[in-house]
């Protein structure tokens, strides 16, 4: 309907969307390439949701993580290849984790609203990263705002199946991490504590759970998960930190988490869907006169709105979704 | 720039800083008042940012086609209100989670403005610029402060204001008194959208010369921070907006200087000052006192 309003044929647009997303091995690869960061950011948002809070800061966390990965790759060219990739990965996780922990700490200890703080930290991260990428780490050989290239032993090789689309170990890592998050949230004591805090803060406190500590840790893990986008992007694709590389993966992650019911498996499925939507929509930019990729943002907004209501249809509050899930998941 | 030497220029600088503080805090004042209506009535309004964004776009597009900033302002107001109506629909009768629905509204606004911009002007990044003569010069500043006083009077001196405060503090008591809660909240949310839309309009047809993509740049959230800092009271919140405005004005001024006292300041660091300041304010002063007690809780008998 929105498309029709813009004066284009909706069927035509849908065709472009589908062909753009799945038309060839390369297109499919690009869809998976876009899905990979969305799995990370979706998990990041979902973990914090489970702990009863809202992470709008994945965008900043992933930028800091990507910059850290690029910095390690650039600054230690002599690093032996066996430890090179793990080092860069750990750097990305730690940087993202610290960036996530600060709003978590502010929420837990100072009571300031995590939504406002994470938004502010997105802007601060953008400023910090563009400073570091443009001054100390600048690529002198390039006109683009980006860091120099990382040393070759840091790079992940893409799978040849996708005709050159940069899909590789990053996607596998995302799937492994999603499984680990599931195991952690449902099979570990700490995971149980976090979910308890998310469902009923007071009850959790009475039961002797350190609510503040859970909050800070949940946000740190979320930051680390978002930081892993840096691994897929820097080590698996561009080989450098490019200012503004992320087409708002952090915000799409919110839609991914909500549509995926804050469950790791749901997140993976939703990430694939949004990856396809994103790839298809960027095709629209080229093939259609009047309909642009912003269409995918509009879809996201509408999807989140609908999901936010459906949660209430099932139970009374958002944690109601959690209640249902915990009964199922044990 | 080496112009900052000598006493004379310091005074000029302060004078300019004062005037520009007033100017740049205008959108914040409008948006914070918008947030105030909604939140005092018990509805969290994370969606201020999105309402400002559509307000900015509506105002710019209308001014461009009619050459009349008054009409532009009116359409900006109406656009904010229209988005608020969608938000209200989801959070009042449908009782959606307010923070999640608010974020959805923001994302929707982020998508819909460049989408419409492309349809109308064939570019997604910004509208064509509006000539100076068709933009407001000082009036919005005045209007913002009149709105502050009016809001204070409405809240403290009228029955409607009392209902509004009760809808946020103790909706069941209001209901028991025979005043339906949800219509009160509807009016509050619509007023909120109207004011946020106006705030957005001041961005595009007063402070700058066009609408550009995501031009609100977090101002909706800063307005919320100012509201929290001002403990949900109109005069205090407006004062907090001035403080935020001062930091923004200082940030704009500082960009002109490559060094301060021989210590060079990278432009990126200066740009993030208002955001850092927001975080500090929230961390330092966000007490739980003054928060409307039923904030964020959907009402049902």
């Amino acid at each position: 309907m929105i498309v029709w309003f813009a004066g284009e044929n909706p069927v035509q647009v849908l065709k472009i969307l589908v062909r753009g997303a799945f038309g060839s091995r390369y297109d499919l690869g690009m869809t998976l390439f876009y899905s990979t960061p969305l799995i990370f950011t979706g998990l990041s948002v979902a973990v914090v949701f489970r702990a009863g809070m809202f992470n709008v800061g994945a965008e900043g966390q992933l930028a800091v993580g990507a910059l850290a990965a690029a910095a390690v790759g650039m600054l230690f060219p002599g690093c032996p290849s066996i430890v090179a990739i793990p080092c860069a990965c750990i750097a990305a996780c730690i940087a993202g984790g610290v960036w996530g922990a600060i709003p978590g700490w502010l929420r837990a200890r100072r009571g300031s609203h995590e939504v406002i703080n994470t938004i502010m930290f997105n802007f601060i991260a953008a400023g910090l990263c563009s400073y570091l990428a443009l001054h100390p780490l600048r690529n002198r050989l390039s006109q683009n705002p980006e860091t120099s290239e990382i040393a070759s032993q840091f790079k992940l090789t893409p799978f040849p199946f996708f005709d050159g689309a940069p899909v590789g170990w990053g996607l596998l890592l995302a799937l492994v991490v999603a499984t680990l998050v599931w195991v952690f949230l449902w099979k570990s004591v700490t995971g149980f504590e976090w979910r308890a805090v998310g469902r009923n803060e007071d009850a959790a406190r009475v039961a002797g759970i350190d609510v503040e500590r859970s909050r800070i840790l949940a946000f740190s893990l979320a930051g680390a998960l978002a930081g892993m986008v840096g691994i897929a992007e820097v080590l698996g694709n561009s080989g450098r930190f490019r200012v503004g590389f992320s087409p708002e993966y952090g915000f799409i992650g919110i839609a991914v988490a909500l549509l995926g019911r804050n469950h790791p498996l749901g997140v993976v499925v939703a990430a694939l869907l949004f990856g396809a939507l994103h790839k298809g929509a960027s095709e629209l930019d080229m093939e259609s006169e009047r309909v642009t990729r912003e269409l995918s943002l509009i879809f996201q907004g509408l999807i989140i709105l609908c999901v936010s209501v459906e949660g209430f249809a099932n139970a009374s509050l958002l944690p109601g979704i959690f209640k249902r899930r915990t009964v199922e998941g044990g | 720039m080496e112009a900052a030497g000598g006493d004379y220029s310091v005074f000029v600088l302060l004078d300019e800083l004062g005037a520009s503080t007033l100017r740049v805090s205008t959108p914040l004042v409008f948006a914070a008042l918008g947030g105030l209506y909604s939140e005092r009535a018990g509805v969290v309004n994370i969606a201020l940012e999105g309402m400002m964004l559509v307000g900015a776009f509506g105002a710019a597009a209308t001014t461009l086609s009619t050459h009349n900033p008054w009409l532009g302002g009116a359409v900006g107001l109406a656009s904010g209100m229209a988005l608020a109506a969608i938000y209200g629909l989801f959070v009042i009768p449908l009782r959606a989670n307010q923070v999640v629905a608010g974020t959805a509204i923001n994302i929707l606004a982020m998508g819909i403005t460049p989408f419409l911009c492309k349809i109308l002007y064939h570019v997604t990044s910004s509208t064509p610029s509006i000539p100076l003569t068709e933009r407001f010069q000082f009036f919005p500043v005045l209007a913002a402060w009149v709105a502050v006083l009016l809001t204070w009077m409405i809240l403290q001196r009228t029955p409607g204001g009392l209902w509004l405060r009760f809808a946020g503090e103790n909706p069941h008591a209001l209901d028991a008194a025979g005043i339906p809660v949800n219509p009160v909240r509807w009016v509050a949310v619509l007023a909120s959208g109207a004011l946020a839309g106006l705030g957005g309009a001041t961005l595009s047809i007063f402070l700058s010369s066009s609408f550009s993509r995501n031009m609100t740049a977090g101002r909706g959230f800063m307005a919320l921070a100012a509201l929290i800092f001002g403990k949900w009271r109109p005069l205090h919140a407006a004062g907090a907006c001035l403080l935020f405005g001062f930091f923004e004005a200082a940030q704009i001024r500082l960009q002109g200087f490559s060094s301060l006292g021989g210590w060079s300041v990278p432009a990126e660091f200066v740009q993030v000052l208002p955001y850092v300041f927001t975080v500090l304010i929230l961390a330092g002063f966000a007490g739980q006192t003054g928060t409307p007690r039923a904030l964020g809780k959907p009402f049902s008998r």
Side-chain angles (χ1 to χ4, degrees), chain B residues 223-236:
Chain B
L224 273 184
L227 188 61
I228 293 167
F229 183 40
K231 299 204 185 305
W232 288 268
R233 285 180 289 187
L235 295 175
H236 294 69

Side-chain angles (χ1 to χ4, degrees), chain A residues 2-297:
Chain A
I2 304 167
V3 175
W4 171 77
F5 173 73
E8 292 265 348
N9 181 354
V11 179
Q12 191 62 31
V13 167
L14 198 67
K15 263 188 194 159
I16 298 177
L17 273 175
V18 173
R19 183 160 44 82
F22 305 108
S24 68
R25 279 185 188 186
Y26 175 79
D27 289 328
L28 179 64
M30 287 308 286
T31 293
L32 293 176
F33 165 71
Y34 285 125
S35 303
T36 307
L38 295 180
I39 295 176
F40 289 126
T41 55
L43 288 173
S44 168
V45 177
V47 163
V48 173
F49 257 126
R50 287 280 172 191
M53 295 173 296
F54 197 7
N55 179 19
V56 197
E59 192 66 28
Q61 292 147 13
L62 71 88
V64 177
L67 186 78
V72 169
M74 259 180 75
L75 299 176
F76 302 101
C79 188
S81 49
I82 309 164
V83 293
I85 290 174
C87 275
C89 292
I90 291 168
C93 291
I94 290 179
V98 168
W99 207 253
I102 306 170
W105 184 85
L106 287 168
R107 165 67 198 263
R109 303 277 179 225
R110 309 295 312 177
S112 48
H113 205 301
E114 77 275 9
V115 170
I116 301 177
N117 274 334
T118 46
I119 292 269
M120 293 300 131
F121 270 83
N122 286 344
F123 287 110
I124 299 171
L128 183 70
C129 291
S130 61
Y131 167 73
L132 290 173
L134 291 182
H135 300 289
L137 303 175
R138 165 132 218 171
N139 182 0
R140 310 261 165 225
L141 305 171
S142 162
Q143 292 293 313
N144 298 327
E146 59 188 28
T147 63
S148 305
E149 202 159 349
I150 57 176
S152 59
Q153 72 269 28
F154 283 95
K155 288 185 185 162
L156 300 165
T157 38
F159 299 149
F161 176 78
F162 296 106
D163 286 348
V167 182
W169 298 103
L171 178 65
L172 279 187
L173 178 71
L175 296 176
V176 170
V177 166
T179 317
L180 289 178
V181 167
W182 177 77
V183 171
F184 170 76
L185 279 178
W186 274 274
K187 305 291 171 200
S188 80
V189 176
T190 320
F192 174 77
E193 287 184 356
W194 291 7
R195 287 186 296 125
V197 171
R199 275 182 59 187
N200 189 334
E201 185 191 332
D202 297 326
R205 206 184 297 275
V206 170
I209 296 171
D210 189 339
V211 173
E212 281 71 30
R213 187 163 156 269
S214 301
R215 288 214 158 113
I216 299 172
L217 288 178
F219 250 109
S220 312
L221 177 64
L225 287 169
M228 289 180 194
V229 172
I231 301 172
E233 161 68 18
V234 176
L235 308 189
N237 175 32
S238 63
R240 66 200 74 195
F241 175 84
R242 293 171 296 148
V243 172
F245 75 87
S246 158
E248 280 146 358
Y249 288 134
F251 291 102
I252 309 174
I254 299 168
V256 168
L258 286 167
L259 195 65
R261 284 282 186 271
N262 299 316
H263 189 284
L265 178 65
V267 164
V268 171
V269 175
L272 291 175
L273 182 72
F274 275 103
L277 183 61
H278 189 86
K279 171 65 176 66
S282 55
E283 210 76 2
L284 278 180
D285 261 3
M286 282 174 272
E287 297 198 17
S288 146
E289 267 294 296
R290 315 182 69 171
V291 178
T292 62
R293 65 170 70 205
E294 276 72 25
L295 192 62
S296 86
L297 275 177

